[in-house]
Amino acid sequence: MNADDDHALRPDNAQFHPRARRSDQARGTLRTLAINLACAAGMIIAAPALAQVAVAPPLGVAGQFGALGNSGVTGSTGAGTIVNGDVGSSPTATITNFPPSSVVPPYVLHLANDGVVQQARADSIAAYGALNQGPGTALANDLSTVGALTPGIYSIGAADLPSGTTLTLNDPSGSGIFIFNVASSLTANVNSSILGTADPCNVYWQVGESATLNGTNFWGTVIADASITLGDGANLVGRALAGTGATGAVTMSGSGGNTIGGCSAETPLAIGPRAPSVSKSFDPENIAIDGTSVLTITLFNSSTDTDDPITSLSDNLPADLLVAPVPNASNTCGGVVSAPAGGGTVSMIGGTIPQANLATNMLGSCTVTVSVTSSTVDTYVNTIEVGGLITAGGSNAAPASATVNVLPFGAGAGVAAIPTLSWWTMMLLASLLAFSSIVMLRRRSN
């Protein structure tokens, strides 16, 4: 046998080598594993998405509102907007076009930033956060393409319901919760609508920017970080709670009229003694050192059939904010105000808060005013704590705060803002600085 024959008989060729066989087996195992993983992935992708179980957010006082703004509420003109729910705005209590727009009794039109509206705003912010219950099922931006939906949590980039189309929400039990987390804007176009067997009051929209409902029949409580606009002829079965972020208004535009309501809880306006509420403000909000600002404390009564006798009112000013040398203390409540010059407290004993007016949907109110001053530059936040007002109906359940700024120059003059640059401007400046540095380094090296 020659060497070539001997080599041919030895098992040292690649196909007979033990390590080669193990390598082939390993590759086969990896291929099998890859195929199994691919099949499993395909099955997961092909399987229908199951909606995550949703829980209704606690709305608190916000639940009794039909329209709640941050920077104001504007009703529509012409036929006006009919709101079945309280209407108010906090901290900017700017309410316009009421009338011709109207609030259906016994719900309340809050023309002041009273304690009820302040609490509603705090509760709407909490409800907005409570709607963060996980990503749920991702939906296409075009809501007319998603088919019929069942209760659950859904996430959308920029929700849009095109003109003439519908979104179907089905829940035969009527108790399931729908939560739609919209990252940016929500738009419902003319002649669009929401239909199905779901309860509109169990539908919630968390909107990261603004919501615009144009001539649509829309369902749900819309809680927007910015503004909510109802176009001409838009009807919302639910609530419009705007401005959970820095600012935002509720605007009913057009002259054809709108309707909002159907889900608002019982209004605080009612027969019999009710706990009072309170709000406060400074005018002006900016003063110079040793200048004066008028502190106004407004007391509210929500009972429609009885005045509310005042037991006591107590307000402790923050340190270095004092009653002015000439206090000018007065009240419209009929009580006795105590505000010693140079002191740090304002109080009142006695007096009465008038009853609410059911015909005009207005809370009963009276005011306490006193001049305040400071010799120290600072921003002063004055708060009446819970229980600071005690009446026959009870005590205020929500605190009330207002801010006055004492500036180092110019009576009432604002401090010039520090100039800020946009992101693009900063990037451009950074690029120019880098380019200049490179040029200087090259010159030095030469």
Side-chain angles (χ1 to χ4, degrees):
M1 181 180 293
N2 59 36
D4 290 338
D5 293 335
D6 180 63
H7 176 74
L9 293 175
R10 287 184 305 179
D12 58 354
N13 290 333
Q15 58 180 329
F16 295 113
H17 199 283
R19 282 185 295 181
R21 288 197 300 272
R22 287 197 296 270
S23 179
D24 288 341
Q25 291 171 354
R27 281 194 294 269
T29 301
L30 289 174
R31 280 196 298 269
T32 301
L33 179 60
I35 292 171
N36 290 338
L37 287 173
C39 291
M43 292 173 65
I44 293 171
I45 294 172
L50 296 177
Q52 187 175 338
V53 175
V55 178
L59 291 174
V61 177
Q64 71 195 33
F65 279 74
L68 176 65
N70 174 327
S71 57
V73 175
T74 301
S76 59
T77 57
T81 301
I82 299 173
V83 184
N84 278 277
D86 282 19
V87 172
S89 182
S90 177
T92 303
T94 302
I95 310 294
T96 56
N97 293 338
F98 281 82
S101 295
S102 61
V103 175
V104 177
Y107 293 106
V108 180
L109 176 63
H110 300 264
L111 295 179
N113 181 25
D114 59 52
V116 173
V117 185
Q118 293 175 29
Q119 187 62 50
R121 171 165 163 71
D123 290 343
S124 69
I125 292 172
Y128 183 93
L131 289 173
N132 293 319
Q133 298 179 20
T137 302
L139 298 179
N141 289 346
D142 185 346
L143 294 178
S144 67
T145 66
V146 301
L149 301 178
T150 54
I153 301 171
Y154 300 93
S155 60
I156 314 166
D160 181 78
L161 189 58
S163 178
T165 65
T166 62
L167 170 64
T168 302
L169 305 180
N170 283 334
D171 176 30
S173 71
S175 60
I177 304 298
F178 295 77
I179 292 178
F180 296 92
N181 299 120
V182 183
S184 56
S185 61
L186 166 64
T187 304
N189 293 280
V190 176
N191 295 325
S192 64
S193 60
I194 297 180
L195 301 173
T197 59
D199 181 349
C201 300
N202 287 340
V203 179
Y204 298 88
W205 299 83
Q206 182 202 55
V207 183
E209 295 177 0
S210 292
T212 303
L213 312 178
N214 288 315
T216 180
N217 292 310
F218 204 80
W219 287 1
T221 295
V222 181
I223 311 180
D225 193 61
S227 295
I228 300 174
T229 301
L230 277 73
D232 198 8
N235 300 303
L236 172 62
V237 182
R239 309 173 183 87
L241 310 179
T244 58
T247 187
V250 177
T251 303
M252 303 88 159
S253 61
S255 58
N258 310 102
T259 62
I260 301 176
C263 295
S264 298
E266 179 188 357
T267 176
L269 214 62
I271 296 174
R274 299 295 296 267
S277 58
V278 61
S279 70
K280 65 193 321 182
S281 64
F282 287 101
D283 186 23
E285 295 180 349
N286 298 323
I287 61 173
I289 289 177
D290 296 325
T292 60
S293 179
V294 176
L295 166 63
T296 299
I297 304 170
T298 305
L299 317 181
F300 295 97
N301 177 14
S302 61
S303 174
T304 61
D305 66 338
T306 181
D307 296 341
D308 193 2
I310 299 168
T311 302
S312 64
L313 168 69
S314 179
D315 182 17
N316 296 316
L317 302 176
D320 296 325
L321 183 67
L322 306 173
V323 176
V326 181
N328 292 319
S330 65
N331 76 95
T332 63
C333 307
V336 178
V337 178
S338 175
T345 61
V346 177
S347 62
M348 183 176 70
I349 297 176
T352 301
I353 311 174
Q355 68 185 48
N357 188 327
L358 184 59
T360 60
N361 300 300
M362 294 291 295
L363 294 172
S365 66
C366 63
T367 59
V368 176
T369 58
V370 63
S371 297
V372 297
T373 188
S374 179
S375 299
T376 304
V377 173
D378 206 344
T379 295
Y380 298 95
V381 180
N382 179 207
T383 300
I384 292 181
E385 302 295 342
V386 172
L389 170 62
I390 301 174
T391 70
S395 60
N396 60 302
S401 298
T403 301
V404 61
N405 301 301
V406 179
L407 308 176
F409 58 87
V415 178
I418 299 174
T420 58
L421 301 176
S422 69
W423 184 85
W424 287 109
T425 303
M426 294 177 65
M427 291 297 295
L428 178 60
L429 289 174
S431 300
L432 289 174
L433 287 172
F435 178 76
S436 300
S437 300
I438 293 171
V439 171
M440 292 178 64
L441 288 173
R442 287 182 173 178
R443 286 180 177 176
R444 289 179 180 178
S445 62
N446 292 334

